[in-house]
Amino acid sequence: MAHISVHMLTKPTDYIASLAKGLKVIEAFGADTPRLSIAEAAAASGFDRATARRVLLTLHREGYADYDGKFFTLTPRILRLGIATLASMPLSRMVQPWLDQLTEQIGQSCSVAILDLREIVYIARAAQTRVMSIGLMPGSRLPAHCTSLGRVLLAALPRDEAQSIIETSDLAPRTRFSLTEPGEVMARIAKAGEDGFAIIDQEVELGLRSVAVPLFDRHGKVVAALNTGLAASQMEVPEMVSQLLPALLRVQSGLRRVL
């Protein structure tokens, strides 16, 4: 079925600007910004303070946000907007048993993610141990440019599209090992495309290494990425290639027959 642009179906009279503003303010909340004042929400969303205030108070009234008189925080009710979608995604259901088996086999946490503009979104995860300071789960997001999952997904895009994403990404260093020059990041993405896998060595978080491979559907299209992450003290990069990569590639091959 041919893809139909949303803009082709949406007339000006069919567009609800207030809904769009509400979604924009919701997206301003994140792992690094779990609490927002009206001024902070306005700055993050690009709206004036009056608009941000109305949206936040509406979220509070409808039970989607708590308010302590100064800061707003999203409530668990907000998960209703995303969990139903994640649960209904055939891809997440199909890969979960493979992830569970892979995690048991290699003794490391494994994840599957998709690309959403400049971020990756986790759609399935099997956790053996917690290797990051933040808890990852389906729906969690991380920057694409500095993650192994993101680099193999970016490598599947046309080069000019990947270049545009990198040039508009926030390349501020997360650790002393982070790459901050667009050219360097693009070189690593190109290498991931050539090698068929990507390794991140403490660029996202100190003490964390990960290796990822793309996941293909039966037509050869990259639809997601699979990775495993572990403490840097557990294994050096060459060992990851020799001991972990083959297991990921076997899952890649198996899923290609069913996706």
Side-chain angles (χ1 to χ4, degrees), residues 38 51-63 65 67 72:
I38 292 173
T51 298
R53 178 179 180 276
R54 287 196 301 272
V55 170
L56 290 168
L57 289 176
T58 300
L59 290 173
H60 175 55
R61 179 172 178 175
E62 295 300 316
Y67 182 43
F72 290 83

Side-chain angles (χ1 to χ4, degrees), residues 21-37 40-41 52 55-68 70-82 139 141:
K21 291 175 181 177
L23 295 173
K24 188 75 172 177
V25 171
I26 289 172
E27 290 177 349
F29 291 89
D32 297 327
T33 53
R35 301 192 314 156
L36 292 175
S37 66
E40 290 168 340
V55 170
L56 290 168
L57 289 176
T58 300
L59 290 173
H60 175 55
R61 179 172 178 175
E62 295 300 316
Y64 289 102
D66 283 332
Y67 182 43
D68 64 6
K70 182 177 181 182
F71 293 102
F72 290 83
T73 56
L74 296 181
T75 67
R77 186 183 180 94
I78 204 75
L79 296 175
R80 295 184 183 183
L81 304 179
R141 290 172 174 264

Side-chain angles (χ1 to χ4, degrees), residues 147-259:
T147 55
S148 58
L149 290 161
R151 286 189 182 165
V152 294
L153 290 168
L154 288 167
L157 299 177
R159 181 177 176 81
D160 59 344
E161 188 174 343
Q163 180 87 42
S164 176
I165 290 173
I166 295 304
E167 289 179 348
T168 56
S169 294
D170 180 2
L171 302 185
R174 297 173 68 97
T175 76
R176 65 178 184 271
F177 299 102
S178 299
L179 301 182
T180 58
E181 294 297 325
E184 291 180 310
V185 178
M186 283 302 300
R188 295 295 179 89
I189 292 171
K191 180 171 172 54
E194 295 168 1
D195 295 342
F197 66 92
I199 287 183
I200 292 292
D201 188 0
Q202 304 185 79
E203 290 187 50
V204 178
E205 187 170 304
L206 287 175
L208 174 68
R209 292 184 174 126
S210 66
V211 55
V213 298
L215 292 179
F216 302 91
D217 65 15
R218 65 192 66 186
H219 304 294
K221 178 185 177 182
V222 173
V223 293
L226 161 72
N227 91 335
T228 184
L230 69 159
S233 59
Q234 287 185 267
M235 199 175 292
E236 297 295 328
V237 169
E239 293 177 282
M240 294 174 65
V241 175
S242 63
Q243 297 183 31
L244 299 179
L245 181 60
L248 267 65
L249 292 174
R250 285 194 292 270
V251 173
Q252 178 196 68
S253 176
L255 281 171
R256 187 167 186 164
R257 297 192 295 269
V258 298
L259 293 181

Side-chain angles (χ1 to χ4, degrees), residues 98-108 110 126-128:
W98 294 78
L99 276 187
D100 294 337
Q101 186 177 50
L102 177 61
T103 295
E104 287 297 319
Q105 177 189 345
I106 66 177
Q108 304 292 344
C110 300
Q128 188 78 6

